[in-house]
Amino acid sequence: DRGNVTRWETPGQRRGITRYDDTAVDALEILAGNFAATLTPMGSVWFELGLQNTRLGDKPKVANWRQECRDLMLAEMAKSNFYLMMDEMYLDLCGFATSAGYAEQVNGRLHYSCWPIKDYVFTMGVDGRVDAVYRKFDMTPINMARRFMQHPGFKELGAKASMALNPDGRAEEKLKKVSIIHAIYPRDSYFK
């Protein structure tokens, strides 16, 4: 299902290609399932929070605070779709050797998504680590308004989407998809 990196499919078209042997697909699913079961097991404590200053981290009040924060984080992840998204991430990671997970707050709750590999590119800094991610995806102007206009940093939808949402605009324009470029990169300064 995720093998459409180099080909574009028509919405509603039957997905996938003819396979003569399922060995690789089965092996990928087993490996990804083992990653999920051992690295991020649902219902287990699979991470700890630490401090750079280890002497400070050893104090009982600080250790209790770290444990309380960890428990809150695990509880919020369990209420969200985190573990479903991690299944997709491990499939991409094992199959393509890369994956892009994204976390945001939607309607007051955490929401995680694993972007399809064909939708994003990333750049690396001089240290060899990812420093920017660019994603292209499509959305209808109505969904864009519902999704982005409530964000604190919202400025505008863009000319095409704004025209489609104009009360005098045609109804079919409101449902016609518009391409969006989502860029995540470091900023030298931040102004509200």
Side-chain angles (χ1 to χ4, degrees):
D1 288 342
R2 298 180 84 80
N4 59 352
V5 178
T6 58
R7 69 180 189 278
W8 299 97
E9 297 167 339
T10 305
Q13 176 183 342
R14 186 170 179 206
R15 296 179 69 192
I17 56 175
T18 304
R19 284 193 302 243
Y20 299 102
D21 185 8
D22 287 338
T23 305
V25 175
D26 292 342
L28 173 65
E29 290 174 355
I30 290 169
L31 179 60
N34 281 323
F35 273 26
T38 56
L39 297 177
T40 53
M42 194 170 152
S44 296
V45 175
W46 51 270
F47 72 90
E48 291 289 338
L49 298 176
L51 299 173
Q52 285 184 339
N53 183 342
T54 54
R55 279 187 263 148
L56 180 63
D58 291 337
K59 295 186 179 204
K61 284 188 177 181
V62 176
N64 290 339
W65 174 79
R66 285 185 7 235
Q67 185 176 0
E68 184 180 338
C69 290
R70 180 209 59 208
D71 292 344
L72 286 170
M73 291 170 71
L74 283 168
E76 288 302 312
M77 284 187 235
K79 285 191 262 182
S80 72
N81 66 329
F82 175 79
Y83 293 100
L84 290 172
M85 185 274 309
M86 287 307 293
D87 289 340
E88 296 294 321
M89 283 242 339
Y90 290 135
L91 285 169
D92 283 358
L93 190 59
C94 296
F96 301 114
T98 189
S99 61
Y102 183 69
E104 63 186 323
Q105 195 171 25
V106 177
N107 297 326
R109 296 186 78 161
L110 286 173
H111 182 266
Y112 296 88
S113 54
C114 181
W115 296 340
I117 194 166
K118 71 175 183 164
D119 287 359
Y120 67 91
V121 295
F122 55 86
T123 62
M124 294 191 304
V126 293
D127 60 355
R129 299 178 73 170
V130 172
D131 72 347
V133 180
Y134 301 92
R135 173 183 171 224
K136 181 180 183 253
F137 62 103
D138 297 329
M139 192 178 263
T140 63
I142 286 178
N143 286 339
M144 288 171 63
R146 289 179 186 148
R147 176 97 158 90
F148 300 118
M149 290 177 80
Q150 296 140 20
H151 281 266
F154 175 78
K155 295 200 182 355
E156 64 181 75
L157 286 175
K160 210 177 213 183
S162 295
M163 283 177 41
L165 291 173
N166 187 335
D168 300 331
R170 297 184 319 204
E172 61 267 10
E173 291 296 318
K174 292 177 171 77
L175 301 174
K176 196 175 194 181
K177 291 191 175 185
V178 177
S179 291
I180 299 170
I181 303 293
H182 181 186
I184 303 169
Y185 54 90
R187 291 196 260 185
D188 295 330
S189 61
Y190 177 75
F191 299 101
K192 287 187 178 185

